[in-house]
Amino acid sequence: MNIKSLFKICLFALLIVACKNETKPDVAEMVETVEQDFSFNVEEFADIKVLRYQIPGWDNLTLKEQKLVYYLTEAGLAGRDIMWDQNYRHNLTIRKALEHVYTEFNGDKSTADWKNFETYLKRVWFSNGIHHHYSNAKLVPEFSKEYFNDILASTNTKLEGEALDVIFNNKDSKKVNQAKGVDNVLESAVNFYGPDVTNKDVADFYKTKKSPDPKKPLSYGLNSQLVKEDGVLKERVYKSGGLYGSAIDQVVMWLEKAKGVAENQAQGDALGLLIKYYKTGDLQTWDDYNVAWTAATEGNIDYINSFIEVYNDPMGYRGSYETVVQINDFDMSKKMAVVSGNAQWFEDNSPLMDEHKKKNVVGVTYKVVNVAGEAGDSSPSTPIGVNLPNANWIRAAVGSKSVSLGNIIHAYNNAGGTGRLKEFVNDEEELQLEEEYGQLADKLHTALHEVIGHASGQLNPGVGETKETLKNYASTLEEGRADLVGLYYLYDSKLQELGLVEDWRKVGMAAYDGYIRNGLMTQLIRLDLGDDVEEAHMRNRQWVSAWAFEKGKADNVIEKITRDGKTYFNINDYEKLHELFGQLLRETQRIKSEGDFEAVEALVEGYGVKVDQALHAEVLERNKQFPSPPYSGFVNPVLVPETNDAGEITAIKVTQPNAFAEQMLYYSKNYSHLPSVN
């Protein structure tokens, strides 16, 4: 499951190398060689900070391995526009018009209107569409429709009808609407469903789908759009010759090149099944691929590629296009493998009911990797960790792969200051704990969340998949449950026994301080005053924190302090908070195992949606002193192949983009494989 949030966290990746015989003609114009004195910061605009990341270990790869990474990266980029169209039906039309204006306008570029136009375009680029990448709210331009019409006309740019009007009106205001009491499918602008498809239509349609083997349920709806034709529901499948076929054919071409330089038989076989899946759209092949991919653990390169995470679907069926290519960080992976090696101990000693514990946790592999390229739902905003595959039966029978994106985490940690932290910590002790142990606590929480959390627990016999039983609450319940696994074990002497920490109490204290501080306060800087919490990960951090705060009031476990007109949360009893996290973990696993919709609805709606408006206003006011934006994302390194006279690749050079706009325009020029979609 992907955690694209507290860090946007869950991201699965296999390194993507793209080795093509020709270099893109204008690649030299948009890149510069990595300097020894590396700058992680690219630029800031609106609520966004754009960063760079390096690819440690690149020079240690063989040329064949570098080709694999290059081909996989090109495969990912080839499908980039799929994500844009999935996000909203007019995104590609709007982007094309905005980019044409941006490149052709010769008027006054010093005006506030033009600068606001540039900012709007950059926000659209960053979000892969006109809805905010995190809040899902439609981006609001700070220029008038009259001005926009003027610059459209002056650049001979055509944009009309609904695609023009929607930029300025209130229609399609939410990409994903998870509000209670509304028809979530009808009220969501995401392009997974036809305009007149309802929640009931979706539920009724998939009730009729029966897997050949009930113990191995297929991921119905994962790779299709559900529409009505003459009043009859029909799936438009993403595949060669189907929906998005022109882009998928390009993805397949690069995957076939990657298969030709696979590191081993298992990796090559898995790539072959992924190619077959793209060609046929067959969901049994998708499961066969995931089984093969999960078992292919040898080699220096790995990847994620396809329609995977379902957060953008209000009903939790359809996967967003996503790719990550990664290189193994051997030193860190060796250190962290101890977590996966003890997965059964963690399961056996968890506070879950015995009937909800797995008797045999199998096949959990954990690696720290360095990203070489990302696309689709993973770029520009990226997760920092991933655990896949998502199918519960594959996790139980075969296992899963977990990764932490080491170079992404490194870039985050080296691109900002500590001013905001100092504003919101309660005292000097909390600050010192965070500065000394915070980064280690975050890394361990990610590892425990991904490796132990998502792999733990089991459904009761006869209980359906969580997207069926828990519906629109499935994603936030799963992420909160995995967070709770991590939180429970972060305050446990077992971590010190395993050699992962030198002082488990202080690491655990730093982790608890940071989680409560973020869940109850600092994540609110991402919301506009008056907004409810809608994003799945923000919801889970709030309901976990708010539940623990309320249940611990009698013992003053977490104290709300007001000092000089400012609010702070101070943990008075870490032992009791550890017990509370265990109680909530037990309950969330029960909810998942039993498919208890009423309980998950009460938990999320009761603790995770509504915001204390007075506290929110205070947090926003206190945050005004910090210019650093609340969201970060990345430009990707550019892999530039060098060829001989015969067109054979002789070397691949890693270069860095000069600017965010240059990379976005380069991508649009070279990877626009969906000339017409709808």
PDB file of all heavy atoms in Angstrom, residues 1-3 8-12 364 366 383-388 395 400-404 444-456 479 482:
ATOM      1  N   MET A   1       0.852  -1.188   0.000  1.00  0.00           N
ATOM      2  CA  MET A   1       0.000   0.000   0.000  1.00  0.00           C
ATOM      3  C   MET A   1       0.876   1.221   0.000  1.00  0.00           C
ATOM      4  O   MET A   1       1.804   1.291   0.763  1.00  0.00           O
ATOM      5  CB  MET A   1      -0.759   0.033   1.287  1.00  0.00           C
ATOM      6  CG  MET A   1      -2.206  -0.165   1.238  1.00  0.00           C
ATOM      7  SD  MET A   1      -3.362   0.572   0.300  1.00  0.00           S
ATOM      8  CE  MET A   1      -4.546  -0.641   0.389  1.00  0.00           C
ATOM      9  N   ASN A   2       0.504   2.192  -0.753  1.00  0.00           N
ATOM     10  CA  ASN A   2       1.317   3.382  -0.877  1.00  0.00           C
ATOM     11  C   ASN A   2       1.001   4.411   0.169  1.00  0.00           C
ATOM     12  O   ASN A   2      -0.128   4.631   0.473  1.00  0.00           O
ATOM     13  CB  ASN A   2       1.044   3.967  -2.253  1.00  0.00           C
ATOM     14  CG  ASN A   2       2.004   5.015  -2.623  1.00  0.00           C
ATOM     15  OD1 ASN A   2       2.733   5.532  -1.813  1.00  0.00           O
ATOM     16  ND2 ASN A   2       1.970   5.347  -3.858  1.00  0.00           N
ATOM     17  N   ILE A   3       1.990   5.062   0.781  1.00  0.00           N
ATOM     18  CA  ILE A   3       1.740   6.086   1.753  1.00  0.00           C
ATOM     19  C   ILE A   3       2.135   7.381   1.191  1.00  0.00           C
ATOM     20  O   ILE A   3       3.055   7.967   1.623  1.00  0.00           O
ATOM     21  CB  ILE A   3       2.615   5.901   2.960  1.00  0.00           C
ATOM     22  CG1 ILE A   3       2.320   4.592   3.575  1.00  0.00           C
ATOM     23  CG2 ILE A   3       2.403   6.954   3.949  1.00  0.00           C
ATOM     24  CD1 ILE A   3       3.088   4.351   4.785  1.00  0.00           C
ATOM     25  N   LYS A   8       4.084  10.984   1.866  1.00  0.00           N
ATOM     26  CA  LYS A   8       3.538  10.377   0.692  1.00  0.00           C
ATOM     27  C   LYS A   8       4.063   8.990   0.735  1.00  0.00           C
ATOM     28  O   LYS A   8       4.541   8.472  -0.184  1.00  0.00           O
ATOM     29  CB  LYS A   8       4.041  11.105  -0.523  1.00  0.00           C
ATOM     30  CG  LYS A   8       2.996  11.172  -1.566  1.00  0.00           C
ATOM     31  CD  LYS A   8       3.527  11.677  -2.818  1.00  0.00           C
ATOM     32  CE  LYS A   8       2.865  11.402  -3.959  1.00  0.00           C
ATOM     33  NZ  LYS A   8       3.294  11.568  -5.120  1.00  0.00           N
ATOM     34  N   ILE A   9       4.145   8.365   1.671  1.00  0.00           N
ATOM     35  CA  ILE A   9       5.047   7.300   1.936  1.00  0.00           C
ATOM     36  C   ILE A   9       4.999   6.047   1.186  1.00  0.00           C
ATOM     37  O   ILE A   9       5.956   5.385   1.240  1.00  0.00           O
ATOM     38  CB  ILE A   9       5.136   6.878   3.338  1.00  0.00           C
ATOM     39  CG1 ILE A   9       4.025   6.905   4.217  1.00  0.00           C
ATOM     40  CG2 ILE A   9       6.047   7.378   3.984  1.00  0.00           C
ATOM     41  CD1 ILE A   9       4.276   6.768   5.623  1.00  0.00           C
ATOM     42  N   CYS A  10       4.255   5.480   0.730  1.00  0.00           N
ATOM     43  CA  CYS A  10       4.465   4.151   0.324  1.00  0.00           C
ATOM     44  C   CYS A  10       4.713   4.022  -1.141  1.00  0.00           C
ATOM     45  O   CYS A  10       3.807   4.073  -1.860  1.00  0.00           O
ATOM     46  CB  CYS A  10       3.286   3.375   0.624  1.00  0.00           C
ATOM     47  SG  CYS A  10       3.429   2.645   2.175  1.00  0.00           S
ATOM     48  N   LEU A  11       5.789   3.642  -1.525  1.00  0.00           N
ATOM     49  CA  LEU A  11       6.080   3.663  -2.908  1.00  0.00           C
ATOM     50  C   LEU A  11       6.925   2.491  -3.229  1.00  0.00           C
ATOM     51  O   LEU A  11       7.904   2.262  -2.615  1.00  0.00           O
ATOM     52  CB  LEU A  11       6.817   4.895  -3.116  1.00  0.00           C
ATOM     53  CG  LEU A  11       7.280   5.151  -4.404  1.00  0.00           C
ATOM     54  CD1 LEU A  11       8.099   6.288  -4.521  1.00  0.00           C
ATOM     55  CD2 LEU A  11       7.448   4.781  -5.282  1.00  0.00           C
ATOM     56  N   PHE A  12       6.561   1.766  -4.176  1.00  0.00           N
ATOM     57  CA  PHE A  12       7.282   0.596  -4.518  1.00  0.00           C
ATOM     58  C   PHE A  12       8.086   0.892  -5.730  1.00  0.00           C
ATOM     59  O   PHE A  12       7.584   1.429  -6.649  1.00  0.00           O
ATOM     60  CB  PHE A  12       6.302  -0.463  -4.832  1.00  0.00           C
ATOM     61  CG  PHE A  12       6.742  -1.700  -4.235  1.00  0.00           C
ATOM     62  CD1 PHE A  12       7.189  -1.727  -2.957  1.00  0.00           C
ATOM     63  CD2 PHE A  12       6.697  -2.844  -4.930  1.00  0.00           C
ATOM     64  CE1 PHE A  12       7.572  -2.884  -2.379  1.00  0.00           C
ATOM     65  CE2 PHE A  12       7.082  -3.986  -4.344  1.00  0.00           C
ATOM     66  CZ  PHE A  12       7.512  -4.007  -3.069  1.00  0.00           C
ATOM     67  N   VAL A 364       8.708 -11.499   3.417  1.00  0.00           N
ATOM     68  CA  VAL A 364       8.836 -10.052   3.524  1.00  0.00           C
ATOM     69  C   VAL A 364      10.291  -9.666   3.264  1.00  0.00           C
ATOM     70  O   VAL A 364      11.186 -10.025   4.030  1.00  0.00           O
ATOM     71  CB  VAL A 364       8.408  -9.555   4.922  1.00  0.00           C
ATOM     72  CG1 VAL A 364       8.545  -8.040   5.001  1.00  0.00           C
ATOM     73  CG2 VAL A 364       6.988  -9.970   5.227  1.00  0.00           C
ATOM     74  N   TYR A 366      13.015  -6.473   2.663  1.00  0.00           N
ATOM     75  CA  TYR A 366      13.133  -5.037   2.907  1.00  0.00           C
ATOM     76  C   TYR A 366      14.482  -4.551   2.402  1.00  0.00           C
ATOM     77  O   TYR A 366      15.513  -5.129   2.722  1.00  0.00           O
ATOM     78  CB  TYR A 366      12.995  -4.731   4.397  1.00  0.00           C
ATOM     79  CG  TYR A 366      13.008  -3.250   4.680  1.00  0.00           C
ATOM     80  CD1 TYR A 366      11.855  -2.495   4.514  1.00  0.00           C
ATOM     81  CD2 TYR A 366      14.162  -2.601   5.086  1.00  0.00           C
ATOM     82  CE1 TYR A 366      11.853  -1.133   4.748  1.00  0.00           C
ATOM     83  CE2 TYR A 366      14.176  -1.246   5.324  1.00  0.00           C
ATOM     84  CZ  TYR A 366      13.016  -0.512   5.163  1.00  0.00           C
ATOM     85  OH  TYR A 366      13.024   0.838   5.392  1.00  0.00           O
ATOM     86  N   PRO A 383       6.558   9.282  -2.765  1.00  0.00           N
ATOM     87  CA  PRO A 383       6.586   8.647  -1.452  1.00  0.00           C
ATOM     88  C   PRO A 383       8.017   8.473  -0.962  1.00  0.00           C
ATOM     89  O   PRO A 383       8.959   8.679  -1.725  1.00  0.00           O
ATOM     90  CB  PRO A 383       5.926   7.312  -1.699  1.00  0.00           C
ATOM     91  CG  PRO A 383       5.982   7.091  -3.147  1.00  0.00           C
ATOM     92  CD  PRO A 383       6.202   8.395  -3.833  1.00  0.00           C
ATOM     93  N   ILE A 384       8.211   8.050   0.269  1.00  0.00           N
ATOM     94  CA  ILE A 384       9.552   7.750   0.767  1.00  0.00           C
ATOM     95  C   ILE A 384       9.694   6.267   1.109  1.00  0.00           C
ATOM     96  O   ILE A 384      10.780   5.809   1.444  1.00  0.00           O
ATOM     97  CB  ILE A 384       9.916   8.588   2.000  1.00  0.00           C
ATOM     98  CG1 ILE A 384       8.966   8.287   3.144  1.00  0.00           C
ATOM     99  CG2 ILE A 384       9.915  10.073   1.676  1.00  0.00           C
ATOM    100  CD1 ILE A 384       9.412   8.845   4.471  1.00  0.00           C
ATOM    101  N   GLY A 385       8.603   5.533   1.025  1.00  0.00           N
ATOM    102  CA  GLY A 385       8.660   4.103   1.303  1.00  0.00           C
ATOM    103  C   GLY A 385       7.502   3.402   0.632  1.00  0.00           C
ATOM    104  O   GLY A 385       6.500   4.027   0.309  1.00  0.00           O
ATOM    105  N   VAL A 386       7.652   2.095   0.433  1.00  0.00           N
ATOM    106  CA  VAL A 386       6.592   1.338  -0.244  1.00  0.00           C
ATOM    107  C   VAL A 386       6.569  -0.109   0.213  1.00  0.00           C
ATOM    108  O   VAL A 386       7.599  -0.684   0.532  1.00  0.00           O
ATOM    109  CB  VAL A 386       6.819   1.308  -1.760  1.00  0.00           C
ATOM    110  CG1 VAL A 386       5.684   0.555  -2.414  1.00  0.00           C
ATOM    111  CG2 VAL A 386       6.909   2.696  -2.302  1.00  0.00           C
ATOM    112  N   ASN A 387       5.369  -0.660   0.207  1.00  0.00           N
ATOM    113  CA  ASN A 387       5.221  -2.099   0.411  1.00  0.00           C
ATOM    114  C   ASN A 387       4.212  -2.605  -0.606  1.00  0.00           C
ATOM    115  O   ASN A 387       3.080  -2.147  -0.657  1.00  0.00           O
ATOM    116  CB  ASN A 387       4.727  -2.414   1.829  1.00  0.00           C
ATOM    117  CG  ASN A 387       4.562  -3.910   2.062  1.00  0.00           C
ATOM    118  OD1 ASN A 387       3.565  -4.495   1.671  1.00  0.00           O
ATOM    119  ND2 ASN A 387       5.548  -4.524   2.684  1.00  0.00           N
ATOM    120  N   LEU A 388       4.622  -3.547  -1.429  1.00  0.00           N
ATOM    121  CA  LEU A 388       3.760  -4.114  -2.464  1.00  0.00           C
ATOM    122  C   LEU A 388       4.012  -5.619  -2.550  1.00  0.00           C
ATOM    123  O   LEU A 388       5.054  -6.092  -2.106  1.00  0.00           O
ATOM    124  CB  LEU A 388       4.049  -3.450  -3.818  1.00  0.00           C
ATOM    125  CG  LEU A 388       3.624  -1.991  -3.958  1.00  0.00           C
ATOM    126  CD1 LEU A 388       4.074  -1.437  -5.289  1.00  0.00           C
ATOM    127  CD2 LEU A 388       2.128  -1.834  -3.796  1.00  0.00           C
ATOM    128  N   ARG A 395       0.179 -11.330  -0.308  1.00  0.00           N
ATOM    129  CA  ARG A 395       0.981 -11.039   0.884  1.00  0.00           C
ATOM    130  C   ARG A 395       1.032 -12.256   1.808  1.00  0.00           C
ATOM    131  O   ARG A 395       2.079 -12.585   2.365  1.00  0.00           O
ATOM    132  CB  ARG A 395       0.380  -9.865   1.655  1.00  0.00           C
ATOM    133  CG  ARG A 395       0.505  -8.513   0.985  1.00  0.00           C
ATOM    134  CD  ARG A 395      -0.237  -7.470   1.826  1.00  0.00           C
ATOM    135  NE  ARG A 395      -0.228  -6.165   1.216  1.00  0.00           N
ATOM    136  CZ  ARG A 395       0.714  -5.250   1.381  1.00  0.00           C
ATOM    137  NH1 ARG A 395       1.742  -5.533   2.149  1.00  0.00           N
ATOM    138  NH2 ARG A 395       0.642  -4.077   0.785  1.00  0.00           N
ATOM    139  N   SER A 400       5.826 -10.092   0.382  1.00  0.00           N
ATOM    140  CA  SER A 400       5.787  -8.742  -0.163  1.00  0.00           C
ATOM    141  C   SER A 400       7.192  -8.166  -0.187  1.00  0.00           C
ATOM    142  O   SER A 400       8.118  -8.705   0.416  1.00  0.00           O
ATOM    143  CB  SER A 400       4.869  -7.848   0.679  1.00  0.00           C
ATOM    144  OG  SER A 400       5.337  -7.762   2.015  1.00  0.00           O
ATOM    145  N   LYS A 401       7.325  -7.079  -0.907  1.00  0.00           N
ATOM    146  CA  LYS A 401       8.575  -6.331  -0.956  1.00  0.00           C
ATOM    147  C   LYS A 401       8.352  -4.975  -0.307  1.00  0.00           C
ATOM    148  O   LYS A 401       7.357  -4.304  -0.583  1.00  0.00           O
ATOM    149  CB  LYS A 401       9.031  -6.113  -2.397  1.00  0.00           C
ATOM    150  CG  LYS A 401       9.578  -7.329  -3.110  1.00  0.00           C
ATOM    151  CD  LYS A 401       9.995  -6.915  -4.521  1.00  0.00           C
ATOM    152  CE  LYS A 401      10.596  -8.068  -5.296  1.00  0.00           C
ATOM    153  NZ  LYS A 401      10.951  -7.658  -6.686  1.00  0.00           N
ATOM    154  N   SER A 402       9.290  -4.567   0.533  1.00  0.00           N
ATOM    155  CA  SER A 402       9.244  -3.250   1.140  1.00  0.00           C
ATOM    156  C   SER A 402      10.544  -2.526   0.836  1.00  0.00           C
ATOM    157  O   SER A 402      11.626  -3.120   0.882  1.00  0.00           O
ATOM    158  CB  SER A 402       9.071  -3.344   2.656  1.00  0.00           C
ATOM    159  OG  SER A 402       7.773  -3.775   2.984  1.00  0.00           O
ATOM    160  N   VAL A 403      10.396  -1.232   0.545  1.00  0.00           N
ATOM    161  CA  VAL A 403      11.582  -0.420   0.276  1.00  0.00           C
ATOM    162  C   VAL A 403      11.460   0.928   0.950  1.00  0.00           C
ATOM    163  O   VAL A 403      10.364   1.452   1.126  1.00  0.00           O
ATOM    164  CB  VAL A 403      11.816  -0.204  -1.240  1.00  0.00           C
ATOM    165  CG1 VAL A 403      12.141  -1.502  -1.934  1.00  0.00           C
ATOM    166  CG2 VAL A 403      10.627   0.481  -1.887  1.00  0.00           C
ATOM    167  N   SER A 404      12.590   1.473   1.341  1.00  0.00           N
ATOM    168  CA  SER A 404      12.692   2.874   1.730  1.00  0.00           C
ATOM    169  C   SER A 404      13.528   3.569   0.676  1.00  0.00           C
ATOM    170  O   SER A 404      14.571   3.044   0.256  1.00  0.00           O
ATOM    171  CB  SER A 404      13.356   3.027   3.100  1.00  0.00           C
ATOM    172  OG  SER A 404      12.487   2.633   4.132  1.00  0.00           O
ATOM    173  N   LEU A 444      12.997   4.311  11.033  1.00  0.00           N
ATOM    174  CA  LEU A 444      12.506   3.071  11.623  1.00  0.00           C
ATOM    175  C   LEU A 444      10.986   2.968  11.516  1.00  0.00           C
ATOM    176  O   LEU A 444      10.445   1.882  11.292  1.00  0.00           O
ATOM    177  CB  LEU A 444      12.944   2.981  13.089  1.00  0.00           C
ATOM    178  CG  LEU A 444      14.417   2.637  13.321  1.00  0.00           C
ATOM    179  CD1 LEU A 444      14.759   2.753  14.801  1.00  0.00           C
ATOM    180  CD2 LEU A 444      14.732   1.235  12.815  1.00  0.00           C
ATOM    181  N   HIS A 445      10.306   4.098  11.666  1.00  0.00           N
ATOM    182  CA  HIS A 445       8.846   4.058  11.540  1.00  0.00           C
ATOM    183  C   HIS A 445       8.455   3.660  10.123  1.00  0.00           C
ATOM    184  O   HIS A 445       7.543   2.855   9.915  1.00  0.00           O
ATOM    185  CB  HIS A 445       8.235   5.415  11.904  1.00  0.00           C
ATOM    186  CG  HIS A 445       6.743   5.343  12.084  1.00  0.00           C
ATOM    187  ND1 HIS A 445       5.928   6.436  11.980  1.00  0.00           N
ATOM    188  CD2 HIS A 445       5.914   4.295  12.345  1.00  0.00           C
ATOM    189  CE1 HIS A 445       4.667   6.078  12.178  1.00  0.00           C
ATOM    190  NE2 HIS A 445       4.635   4.777  12.404  1.00  0.00           N
ATOM    191  N   THR A 446       9.150   4.219   9.142  1.00  0.00           N
ATOM    192  CA  THR A 446       8.872   3.844   7.757  1.00  0.00           C
ATOM    193  C   THR A 446       9.109   2.344   7.554  1.00  0.00           C
ATOM    194  O   THR A 446       8.298   1.649   6.940  1.00  0.00           O
ATOM    195  CB  THR A 446       9.757   4.645   6.790  1.00  0.00           C
ATOM    196  OG1 THR A 446       9.493   6.038   6.961  1.00  0.00           O
ATOM    197  CG2 THR A 446       9.475   4.260   5.345  1.00  0.00           C
ATOM    198  N   ALA A 447      10.225   1.844   8.076  1.00  0.00           N
ATOM    199  CA  ALA A 447      10.540   0.422   7.916  1.00  0.00           C
ATOM    200  C   ALA A 447       9.493  -0.452   8.593  1.00  0.00           C
ATOM    201  O   ALA A 447       8.995  -1.424   8.014  1.00  0.00           O
ATOM    202  CB  ALA A 447      11.928   0.124   8.485  1.00  0.00           C
ATOM    203  N   LEU A 448       9.147  -0.123   9.832  1.00  0.00           N
ATOM    204  CA  LEU A 448       8.168  -0.922  10.563  1.00  0.00           C
ATOM    205  C   LEU A 448       6.779  -0.819   9.935  1.00  0.00           C
ATOM    206  O   LEU A 448       6.037  -1.810   9.877  1.00  0.00           O
ATOM    207  CB  LEU A 448       8.120  -0.468  12.025  1.00  0.00           C
ATOM    208  CG  LEU A 448       9.375  -0.781  12.856  1.00  0.00           C
ATOM    209  CD1 LEU A 448       9.355  -0.009  14.170  1.00  0.00           C
ATOM    210  CD2 LEU A 448       9.500  -2.275  13.116  1.00  0.00           C
ATOM    211  N   HIS A 449       6.423   0.352   9.471  1.00  0.00           N
ATOM    212  CA  HIS A 449       5.139   0.554   8.784  1.00  0.00           C
ATOM    213  C   HIS A 449       5.052  -0.336   7.550  1.00  0.00           C
ATOM    214  O   HIS A 449       4.055  -1.032   7.342  1.00  0.00           O
ATOM    215  CB  HIS A 449       5.017   2.031   8.407  1.00  0.00           C
ATOM    216  CG  HIS A 449       3.827   2.383   7.578  1.00  0.00           C
ATOM    217  ND1 HIS A 449       2.836   3.228   8.012  1.00  0.00           N
ATOM    218  CD2 HIS A 449       3.465   2.031   6.323  1.00  0.00           C
ATOM    219  CE1 HIS A 449       1.911   3.364   7.077  1.00  0.00           C
ATOM    220  NE2 HIS A 449       2.285   2.646   6.027  1.00  0.00           N
ATOM    221  N   GLU A 450       6.088  -0.292   6.738  1.00  0.00           N
ATOM    222  CA  GLU A 450       6.055  -1.005   5.467  1.00  0.00           C
ATOM    223  C   GLU A 450       6.253  -2.505   5.625  1.00  0.00           C
ATOM    224  O   GLU A 450       5.513  -3.307   5.049  1.00  0.00           O
ATOM    225  CB  GLU A 450       7.137  -0.452   4.529  1.00  0.00           C
ATOM    226  CG  GLU A 450       7.005   1.019   4.194  1.00  0.00           C
ATOM    227  CD  GLU A 450       5.723   1.330   3.457  1.00  0.00           C
ATOM    228  OE1 GLU A 450       5.077   0.400   2.930  1.00  0.00           O
ATOM    229  OE2 GLU A 450       5.347   2.505   3.419  1.00  0.00           O
ATOM    230  N   VAL A 451       7.269  -2.885   6.380  1.00  0.00           N
ATOM    231  CA  VAL A 451       7.648  -4.299   6.436  1.00  0.00           C
ATOM    232  C   VAL A 451       6.750  -5.088   7.372  1.00  0.00           C
ATOM    233  O   VAL A 451       6.250  -6.156   7.021  1.00  0.00           O
ATOM    234  CB  VAL A 451       9.118  -4.438   6.899  1.00  0.00           C
ATOM    235  CG1 VAL A 451       9.520  -5.900   6.964  1.00  0.00           C
ATOM    236  CG2 VAL A 451      10.037  -3.678   5.979  1.00  0.00           C
ATOM    237  N   ILE A 452       6.550  -4.571   8.562  1.00  0.00           N
ATOM    238  CA  ILE A 452       5.762  -5.287   9.557  1.00  0.00           C
ATOM    239  C   ILE A 452       4.289  -4.895   9.462  1.00  0.00           C
ATOM    240  O   ILE A 452       3.406  -5.752   9.468  1.00  0.00           O
ATOM    241  CB  ILE A 452       6.292  -5.005  10.977  1.00  0.00           C
ATOM    242  CG1 ILE A 452       7.809  -5.269  11.045  1.00  0.00           C
ATOM    243  CG2 ILE A 452       5.544  -5.846  11.990  1.00  0.00           C
ATOM    244  CD1 ILE A 452       8.211  -6.673  10.655  1.00  0.00           C
ATOM    245  N   GLY A 453       4.018  -3.594   9.361  1.00  0.00           N
ATOM    246  CA  GLY A 453       2.648  -3.101   9.395  1.00  0.00           C
ATOM    247  C   GLY A 453       1.766  -3.648   8.298  1.00  0.00           C
ATOM    248  O   GLY A 453       0.743  -4.298   8.557  1.00  0.00           O
ATOM    249  N   HIS A 454       2.142  -3.403   7.057  1.00  0.00           N
ATOM    250  CA  HIS A 454       1.299  -3.844   5.949  1.00  0.00           C
ATOM    251  C   HIS A 454       1.288  -5.367   5.795  1.00  0.00           C
ATOM    252  O   HIS A 454       0.358  -5.919   5.201  1.00  0.00           O
ATOM    253  CB  HIS A 454       1.762  -3.186   4.643  1.00  0.00           C
ATOM    254  CG  HIS A 454       1.348  -1.756   4.516  1.00  0.00           C
ATOM    255  ND1 HIS A 454       0.053  -1.333   4.717  1.00  0.00           N
ATOM    256  CD2 HIS A 454       2.055  -0.637   4.209  1.00  0.00           C
ATOM    257  CE1 HIS A 454      -0.014  -0.021   4.525  1.00  0.00           C
ATOM    258  NE2 HIS A 454       1.175   0.419   4.229  1.00  0.00           N
ATOM    259  N   ALA A 455       2.320  -6.021   6.309  1.00  0.00           N
ATOM    260  CA  ALA A 455       2.382  -7.484   6.170  1.00  0.00           C
ATOM    261  C   ALA A 455       1.678  -8.201   7.315  1.00  0.00           C
ATOM    262  O   ALA A 455       1.501  -9.416   7.266  1.00  0.00           O
ATOM    263  CB  ALA A 455       3.841  -7.933   6.100  1.00  0.00           C
ATOM    264  N   SER A 456       1.272  -7.467   8.345  1.00  0.00           N
ATOM    265  CA  SER A 456       0.739  -8.126   9.534  1.00  0.00           C
ATOM    266  C   SER A 456      -0.767  -8.350   9.434  1.00  0.00           C
ATOM    267  O   SER A 456      -1.459  -7.741   8.623  1.00  0.00           O
ATOM    268  CB  SER A 456       1.031  -7.277  10.780  1.00  0.00           C
ATOM    269  OG  SER A 456       0.219  -6.116  10.782  1.00  0.00           O
ATOM    270  N   GLU A 479      -3.667   2.519   6.315  1.00  0.00           N
ATOM    271  CA  GLU A 479      -2.466   3.306   6.606  1.00  0.00           C
ATOM    272  C   GLU A 479      -2.348   3.590   8.098  1.00  0.00           C
ATOM    273  O   GLU A 479      -1.244   3.556   8.663  1.00  0.00           O
ATOM    274  CB  GLU A 479      -2.482   4.605   5.805  1.00  0.00           C
ATOM    275  CG  GLU A 479      -2.434   4.413   4.303  1.00  0.00           C
ATOM    276  CD  GLU A 479      -1.294   3.521   3.840  1.00  0.00           C
ATOM    277  OE1 GLU A 479      -0.220   3.537   4.479  1.00  0.00           O
ATOM    278  OE2 GLU A 479      -1.471   2.795   2.854  1.00  0.00           O
ATOM    279  N   ALA A 482      -1.098   0.384   9.804  1.00  0.00           N
ATOM    280  CA  ALA A 482       0.339   0.189   9.619  1.00  0.00           C
ATOM    281  C   ALA A 482       1.142   1.195  10.439  1.00  0.00           C
ATOM    282  O   ALA A 482       2.204   0.868  10.984  1.00  0.00           O
ATOM    283  CB  ALA A 482       0.690   0.292   8.137  1.00  0.00           C
TER     284      ALA A 482
END
